[in-house]
Amino acid sequence: MARTQNLRHKVINQFIDAIRHQYIRSPLPSQSLLADMYNVSRTTVRHVLNYLAEQEILQNIGNDYVIIREPNDDDLLDTIVELPDIQLTEFESFFYKLIQQGELKPGDNFTELQLAHKANVSSVVVREFLLQFSQYNLIKNLRRGLWNLKTFEQDYAEKLFELRELLETHALTRFMNLPADDKRWVQAKELLFQHRQLRKTVVDNYRTFSELDRKFHSLLLSAAENPFFEQSLNMVTIIFHFHYQWDDSDLRERNVLAIEEHMAILSAMVSHSDLQAMNELRNHLNTAKQSMKRSLKLD
């Protein structure tokens, strides 16, 4: 939400609250006085008054604005408020966990208050996160406070994989050209070791692969040194690591195969075999794509 629009939404909500609590009465004070009261420009005040008139809360009679209807919660507008990053980060993990554990499924409706109670956080934190998350087009705001977890369409899946392939193949090329003393070469070796360790117990611990998967793709994308690539990882995390809308009946088999493919990629990377690493990555991306299409029954 643009800063100017967000400011106007906040002021509109302040006006609505003031009218509901009779802090300002009919007829309203002059625009100059209102601008001073709310510490905004008269242009912002005029926009707010025009909006409230369009909603038939106010009516312009001569030089005055008079109240003709009592506003309610439905008249309030979405705003983004500044919150400590730690609160949003903690709730983000909680929200993804709900999806991972199947407590939130595609098609489900949920309220901000329900999530706030479950996570033991303020509803303001929940709403801020959902407003930001909605940019991914995976949730829909049905009305104030009520949301829907949307279904995952074939066209969306195709576009996601196209983006993923472009980003990760470019990132791998950048990775293979890192200086020999870059710490990420050591991290790649450590990650290969972690994959080998998990492979020994993967039959029983296959669900723990999601975090290792995130580490692998995060390390790969870090070589691009582009913040927009990091943002794309958030989408990959939502869709793949938390198994959004997937039928997880064959999750164990998928994760076992993914571990082997990761190891093939990492082995080629630490051996500085550029062509082999790229071939193994493309094979891994194609496996993930076909697996997702099968589990979504998109074929």
Coordinates of all heavy atoms in Angstrom, one line a residue, residues 7 23 96 112 167 173 184 191 207 242 292:
L7 N -1.7 6.7 4.6 CA -2.0 7.8 5.5 C -3.4 8.2 5.4 O -4.1 8.4 6.4 CB -1.1 9.0 5.1 CG -1.4 10.3 5.8 CD1 -1.2 10.1 7.3 CD2 -0.5 11.4 5.3
Y23 N -16.6 12.4 19.2 CA -15.5 13.4 19.5 C -15.6 14.6 18.6 O -15.2 15.7 18.9 CB -14.1 12.7 19.3 CG -13.9 11.6 20.2 CD1 -13.1 10.5 19.8 CD2 -14.4 11.6 21.5 CE1 -12.9 9.4 20.7 CE2 -14.1 10.5 22.4 CZ -13.4 9.4 22.0 OH -13.1 8.4 22.8
Y96 N 2.6 -20.5 8.8 CA 3.1 -21.5 7.9 C 2.9 -22.9 8.5 O 2.7 -23.9 7.9 CB 4.6 -21.3 7.5 CG 4.8 -20.0 6.7 CD1 6.1 -19.5 6.6 CD2 3.8 -19.4 6.0 CE1 6.3 -18.4 5.8 CE2 4.0 -18.3 5.2 CZ 5.2 -17.8 5.1 OH 5.5 -16.7 4.4
E112 N -9.3 -13.2 11.6 CA -8.1 -12.6 12.2 C -8.1 -12.9 13.7 O -7.1 -13.2 14.3 CB -8.0 -11.1 12.0 CG -7.8 -10.8 10.5 CD -8.1 -9.3 10.2 OE1 -8.2 -8.5 11.1 OE2 -8.2 -9.0 9.0
L167 N 15.2 -18.1 -11.8 CA 16.0 -17.6 -10.7 C 17.1 -18.5 -10.2 O 18.2 -18.1 -10.0 CB 15.0 -17.3 -9.5 CG 14.0 -16.2 -9.7 CD1 13.1 -16.0 -8.5 CD2 14.6 -14.9 -10.1
T173 N 24.6 -20.4 -11.7 CA 25.7 -19.8 -12.5 C 26.6 -18.9 -11.7 O 27.8 -18.9 -11.8 CB 25.1 -19.1 -13.8 OG1 24.4 -20.1 -14.5 CG2 26.3 -18.6 -14.6
R184 N 30.6 -19.5 1.2 CA 29.5 -20.3 0.8 C 30.0 -21.7 0.2 O 29.2 -22.6 0.2 CB 28.6 -19.6 -0.2 CG 27.7 -18.6 0.4 CD 27.0 -17.6 -0.5 NE 28.0 -16.6 -1.0 CZ 27.7 -15.5 -1.5 NH1 26.4 -15.2 -1.7 NH2 28.6 -14.6 -1.9
L191 N 26.3 -28.5 4.0 CA 25.0 -28.8 3.7 C 25.0 -30.2 3.0 O 24.0 -31.0 3.3 CB 24.4 -27.8 2.7 CG 22.9 -27.7 2.5 CD1 22.2 -27.6 3.9 CD2 22.5 -26.6 1.6
R207 N 9.8 -35.8 7.4 CA 9.2 -34.5 7.5 C 10.2 -33.4 7.9 O 9.9 -32.2 7.7 CB 8.0 -34.5 8.5 CG 6.8 -35.3 8.0 CD 5.6 -35.1 8.9 NE 4.5 -35.9 8.5 CZ 3.6 -35.4 7.5 NH1 3.8 -34.2 7.0 NH2 2.6 -36.2 7.1
F242 N 6.2 -26.0 2.8 CA 5.0 -26.2 3.7 C 3.9 -26.9 3.0 O 2.8 -27.0 3.4 CB 4.6 -24.8 4.2 CG 5.6 -24.2 5.1 CD1 6.5 -23.3 4.6 CD2 5.7 -24.6 6.4 CE1 7.5 -22.7 5.4 CE2 6.7 -24.0 7.2 CZ 7.6 -23.1 6.7
M292 N 4.6 -32.2 -8.2 CA 3.6 -31.2 -7.8 C 2.3 -31.4 -8.6 O 1.2 -31.4 -8.1 CB 4.1 -29.8 -7.8 CG 3.1 -28.8 -7.3 SD 3.8 -27.2 -7.2 CE 2.5 -26.2 -6.6

